[in-house]
Amino acid sequence: MRILLASLLAATAPLPALAQPAVSGSHDQLIATLRTDALNDEQAWRITEDLTTEVGQRLAGTEAEARARAWAVRRLSALGFANVRVDEFAMPVWQRGREAAELLGPYPQKFAVAALGNSASTPAGGVSGEVIAFADVDALRAAPAAQVRGKIVYIGHDMPRAQDGSGYGIFGAPRRQGPSIASQKGALAIVIRSIGTDREHRNPHTGVMNFTEGATPIPAGALSNPDADQLERIFARGQRPSLRLTLESQVTQGRSGNVIADVPGRDPRAAPVLVSCHLDSWDLGTGALDDAAGCGIVTAAAKRIMAAGTPARPIRVVWFGAEEVGLFGGLDYRARYGKQPHHAIMESDFGADRVWKVDSRLGKEREAEAKRLQRMLQPLGIVPGSLTETEGSDIGPMVADGLPGASLQQDGTRYFDIHHTPDDTLAMVDKKQMQQNVAAWTTALAVLAGPVQPQPTRPARRRPR
Ligand SMILES: [Zn+2]
């Protein structure tokens, strides 16, 4: 059916000119056309490939992220978006230096380690100490400080793969809370089992953490999961291992920024539909899944709407800066525009695997619109989800403020195998699934930005003979 429709559409393009905004029935047809065509999208892949190749890793606040912003402005302008601009802001910049984890005894060997964002720096020669192991954060919390003081804390966990990625919330605690608790108990340093679901790749997973008020920053790193297994096997042998940990880093002041571009609507005063992603990445891979792919997906979708005609409401595309290290871009956007009405806010920041569910929170009075969104997405195999919940990373604070929004939930089963590791490269992006994402986002935009009025067809120019 899908194939038949696609070939039919190829034969009938371009779209007919309409004098009036399309009525609902024919707009549904236009959406069906847009949805099917988007399954062959090349734009999202091109953006993802070009950004990860021509810029590479884009750590927030660094010169690399500034290059990414300049790249984004060029690309969004070249694609024909209006008002392409950058909102800049200042921020502290944490950067890793030399890293090593060496088991001194009882079985001397090297482990694969990466510092967590905002880790304190060790001195040049590293720090050495006995390792004390905890099964989880609660076990560390329950331990007397005398037991922890002067030692290197290790915390494990058992994060399973899950389609909705929900394990990250629960099992991320060793990274988010572990360092502060360890510091408050006088620990010398901390290494955690990487917050990741891969058990066979020797890749540490980095990620940000913040020391709570009153907790002195200590060196904090993540061991790859096979190395965490190795350390746990040593403990299981009744040994008391000691470790030399070198995690050098520095903090400077830098600038980041949000890159913003518009698709004008027929009513320029109408509240925009915001679609977003984040431009920054961690420094270990090239940030293909996290989150170049998200930028590719939402931008390709907005471009498809723009190519089809003029939507009723404006579409605002935002490539946020500095998400990974603390949602700086989302908070800057909220400070500038968060009080202005938005018709809906959305973000793609969970890789590029297929969208399987749509959640939204548009409000009781817009239930018909929310149900139409569900219905129009169903042909892509997307199941209807909640009508009272939505989420997003950079947009999270604005979601909490109560702005209306929708989320296209992606299959996150393998996301945390790769998340924040050197493996986050283009090789991990599945193009077919990415195209399904573009189809979902194009459909969502066509519904939420209101009827798309096709461009009047111009008479074809004759070639001079
Ligand atoms: Zn991300």
Side-chain angles (χ1 to χ4, degrees):
M1 189 63 197
R2 200 167 274 169
I3 295 160
L4 273 178
L5 188 57
S7 50
L8 185 70
L9 291 165
T12 55
L15 296 160
L18 293 179
Q20 294 297 317
V23 293
S24 182
S26 63
H27 192 242
D28 281 6
Q29 272 172 1
L30 175 61
I31 292 176
T33 305
L34 287 165
R35 190 175 57 216
T36 308
D37 286 357
L39 290 169
N40 293 312
D41 181 81
E42 292 292 331
Q43 195 67 250
W45 178 272
R46 217 173 294 141
I47 289 168
T48 309
E49 177 183 323
D50 292 353
L51 177 60
T52 55
T53 305
E54 295 167 19
V55 180
Q57 69 83 19
R58 311 169 290 286
L59 186 69
T62 63
E63 175 275 332
E65 199 203 19
R67 267 189 286 125
R69 274 196 299 287
W71 186 97
V73 167
R74 285 197 304 276
R75 177 59 57 100
L76 290 163
S77 305
L79 286 170
F81 287 94
N83 309 321
V84 180
R85 60 206 183 271
V86 180
D87 284 347
E88 280 200 19
F89 49 86
M91 58 173 290
V93 183
W94 176 93
Q95 283 177 276
R96 79 183 68 247
R98 244 168 42 86
E99 303 178 319
E102 230 180 307
L103 195 66
L104 301 173
Y107 315 121
Q109 57 190 287
K110 287 177 183 171
F111 287 161
V113 71
L116 299 174
N118 294 327
S119 164
S121 183
T122 59
V127 294
S128 306
E130 186 188 332
V131 183
I132 180 167
F134 297 96
D136 52 35
V137 160
D138 288 338
L140 169 64
R141 206 176 266 127
Q147 211 183 329
V148 174
R149 194 167 298 125
K151 294 189 180 139
I152 297 177
V153 165
Y154 165 82
I155 313 179
H157 63 83
D158 200 14
M159 179 171 165
R161 292 190 176 103
Q163 185 178 10
D164 67 357
S166 54
Y168 192 49
I170 307 157
F171 296 96
R175 191 185 87 208
R176 298 193 194 99
Q177 297 158 34
S180 290
I181 301 169
S183 162
Q184 280 160 340
K185 291 184 190 280
L188 183 62
I190 178 171
V191 285
I192 61 165
R193 174 187 281 279
S194 277
I195 309 302
T197 47
D198 58 319
R199 284 300 157 96
E200 56 293 296
H201 290 275
R202 206 175 187 187
N203 284 330
H205 296 235
T206 190
V208 78
M209 53 94 194
N210 286 292
F211 288 97
T212 53
E213 282 284 308
T216 311
I218 55 172
L223 294 176
S224 80
N225 277 314
D227 288 295
D229 289 340
Q230 182 83 328
L231 186 61
E232 290 182 17
R233 277 191 295 271
I234 293 167
F235 276 105
R237 281 162 169 71
Q239 300 286 348
R240 298 174 64 173
S242 61
L243 194 68
R244 174 157 54 223
L245 192 62
T246 307
L247 297 174
E248 294 175 19
S249 61
Q250 57 165 13
V251 178
T252 53
Q253 279 297 311
R255 293 187 76 72
S256 180
N258 297 327
V259 183
I260 307 179
D262 297 329
V263 177
R266 287 197 297 283
D267 179 0
R269 289 156 309 162
V273 177
L274 183 154
V275 292
S276 63
C277 60
H278 66 84
L279 180 57
D280 67 305
S281 75
W282 274 107
D283 53 346
L284 302 179
T286 60
L289 284 178
D290 190 13
D291 182 29
C295 293
I297 289 163
V298 303
T299 307
K303 168 74 181 169
R304 283 181 169 274
I305 298 293
M306 188 162 59
T310 310
R313 288 178 200 84
I315 296 169
R316 186 176 296 168
V317 179
V318 183
W319 294 16
F320 288 108
E323 185 272 345
E324 293 292 359
V325 293
L327 308 183
F328 288 91
L331 292 169
D332 183 82
Y333 182 93
R334 178 195 188 215
R336 290 178 202 251
Y337 314 110
K339 294 256 186 292
Q340 296 173 6
H342 287 69
H343 189 69
I345 58 175
M346 301 176 70
E347 181 160 11
S348 175
D349 182 19
F350 201 43
D353 283 354
R354 63 182 285 275
V355 176
W356 66 280
K357 185 176 73 152
V358 54
D359 291 330
S360 64
R361 190 188 68 196
L362 300 179
K364 192 79 194 134
E365 68 288 356
R366 285 168 63 189
E367 198 176 288
E369 187 183 0
K371 289 206 162 148
R372 181 153 180 261
L373 178 63
Q374 293 180 335
R375 200 169 62 245
M376 298 314 280
L377 287 166
Q378 250 169 350
L380 294 169
I382 298 169
V383 301
S386 170
L387 294 179
T388 55
E389 281 171 57
T390 189
E391 60 174 17
S393 47
D394 298 272
I395 64 169
M398 290 186 287
V399 166
D401 290 343
L403 264 61
S407 27
L408 299 175
Q409 303 288 359
Q410 292 162 293
D411 185 339
T413 309
R414 68 182 185 119
Y415 186 69
F416 289 107
D417 286 8
I418 302 150
H419 187 242
H420 298 177
T421 72
D423 261 352
D424 184 0
T425 67
L426 194 65
M428 293 298 175
V429 182
D430 177 334
K431 187 172 174 183
K432 269 278 157 234
Q433 294 197 63
M434 176 179 243
Q435 289 170 321
Q436 187 261 12
N437 273 264
V438 178
W441 279 82
T442 305
T443 303
L445 273 178
V447 171
L448 293 168
V452 179
Q453 187 168 6
Q455 313 283 14
T457 40
R458 293 213 189 108
R461 272 203 203 134
R462 294 252 171 124
R463 274 237 196 98
R465 292 191 176 223

